[in-house]
């Protein structure tokens, strides 16, 4: 039993490597093999992680519906084993996937759920605020976009996270550019570059 579990972990790790170098199809193949092992052992904790990883790879491939289905399948698995952080991250991923499917209201609903749950996990919270800022930005809702990017900026600065800070500043710069405020956009873009 322990040997079988070890095989599942190795397959999961190999899948992660393939995904990290952009070979998403190979990653999916290995994740599915790992998932079979964890399902056979009823290892809900690891199953949740593998389902989430599969969803991420399908999202990268542009198969948004498959990514959504997997995330919706992963969410109750994470909750069943009280993996609160992974459940909250999955809410964020569901929101991102709905945004890619152009289902704005569902994306907003899941974003707000994610933000509420991620308050205990600040690094993920910053990303959730950036996602929500991008969603509003893409909808032309400039004030809401800037509000959320500023929240992301505040959280990133409190964490000492220069990359998160740069991404939040870049998001604000894009909004200002879209509003025709080119000098503000340029200044923010320069600040974003300086922070990294």
């Amino acid at each position: 039993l322990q040997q079988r579990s070890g095989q599942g972990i190795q397959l999961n790790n190999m899948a992660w490597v393939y995904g990290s170098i952009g070979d998403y199809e190979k990653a999916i193949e290995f994740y599915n093999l790992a998932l079979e092992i964890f399902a056979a052992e009823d290892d809900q904790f690891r199953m949740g992680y593998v389902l989430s990883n599969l969803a991420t790879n399908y999202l990268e491939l542009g198969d948004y519906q498959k990514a959504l289905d997997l995330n919706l399948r992963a969410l109750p698995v994470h909750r069943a084993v009280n993996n609160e952080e992974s459940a909250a991250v999955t809410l964020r991923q569901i929101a991102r996937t709905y945004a890619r499917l152009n289902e704005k209201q569902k994306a907003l609903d899941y974003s707000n759920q994610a933000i509420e749950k991620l308050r205990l996990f600040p690094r993920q919270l910053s990303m959730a605020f950036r996602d929500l800022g991008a969603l509003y930005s893409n909808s032309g809702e400039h004030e809401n976009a800037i509000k959320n990017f500023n929240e992301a900026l505040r959280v990133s600065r409190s964490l000492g996270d220069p990359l998160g800070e740069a991404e939040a500043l870049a998001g604000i710069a894009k909004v200002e550019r879209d509003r025709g405020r080119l000098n503000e956009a340029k200044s923010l873009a320069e600040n974003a570059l300086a922070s990294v």
Side-chain angles (χ1 to χ4, degrees):
L1 186 67
Q2 208 168 17
Q3 184 180 2
R4 192 92 171 108
S5 181
Q7 288 174 339
I9 292 167
Q10 285 181 337
L11 289 164
N12 182 71
N13 292 343
M14 289 168 64
W16 182 86
V17 170
Y18 279 112
S20 69
I21 61 171
D23 191 343
Y24 304 117
E25 276 133 5
K26 198 72 171 168
I28 287 167
E29 181 185 326
F30 280 101
Y31 279 131
N32 279 320
L33 292 170
L35 187 61
E36 284 176 28
I37 291 171
F38 297 140
E41 294 185 342
D42 197 31
D43 185 341
Q44 299 276 307
F45 192 83
R46 289 193 174 105
M47 279 177 61
Y49 276 114
V50 174
L51 287 167
S52 293
N53 291 338
L54 273 166
T56 299
N57 281 269
Y58 277 107
L59 189 65
E60 292 294 338
L61 283 173
D63 190 341
Y64 304 135
Q65 190 58 53
K66 184 72 174 172
L68 177 63
D69 294 344
L70 285 160
N71 275 314
L72 290 170
R73 194 172 147 202
L75 185 59
V77 177
H78 290 309
R79 287 177 170 159
V81 294
N82 297 315
N83 190 342
E84 296 301 323
E85 183 173 8
S86 292
V89 170
T90 301
L91 288 169
R92 177 180 164 252
Q93 295 296 358
I94 292 169
R96 290 180 69 215
T97 308
Y98 273 127
R100 299 270 176 91
L101 289 166
N102 294 317
E103 293 192 45
K104 182 185 170 197
Q105 192 54 54
K106 287 181 179 177
L108 286 173
D109 291 344
Y110 277 94
S111 283
N112 288 320
Q113 288 179 56
I115 285 168
E116 200 52 46
K117 299 285 185 186
L118 287 169
R119 294 201 182 273
L120 297 172
F121 311 102
R123 196 167 301 279
Q124 289 288 337
L125 178 62
S126 175
M127 288 187 256
F129 277 125
R130 290 196 307 267
D131 291 346
L132 191 51
L135 182 64
Y136 280 123
S137 176
N138 292 336
S139 302
E141 297 180 51
H142 304 304
E143 294 305 322
N144 281 331
I146 287 178
K147 177 183 159 198
N148 283 283
F149 282 127
N150 276 326
E151 280 298 308
L153 185 61
R154 180 187 61 76
V155 174
S156 293
R157 284 181 172 159
S158 74
L159 291 170
D161 174 14
L163 183 58
E165 184 178 336
E167 289 179 5
L169 288 167
I172 299 169
K174 181 183 179 298
V175 174
E176 295 295 13
R177 182 202 65 200
D178 292 348
R179 292 203 291 192
R181 298 179 178 178
L182 300 182
N183 285 336
E184 289 89 340
K186 180 178 180 283
S187 173
L188 286 159
E190 287 168 351
N191 287 342
L193 285 171
S195 70
V196 291

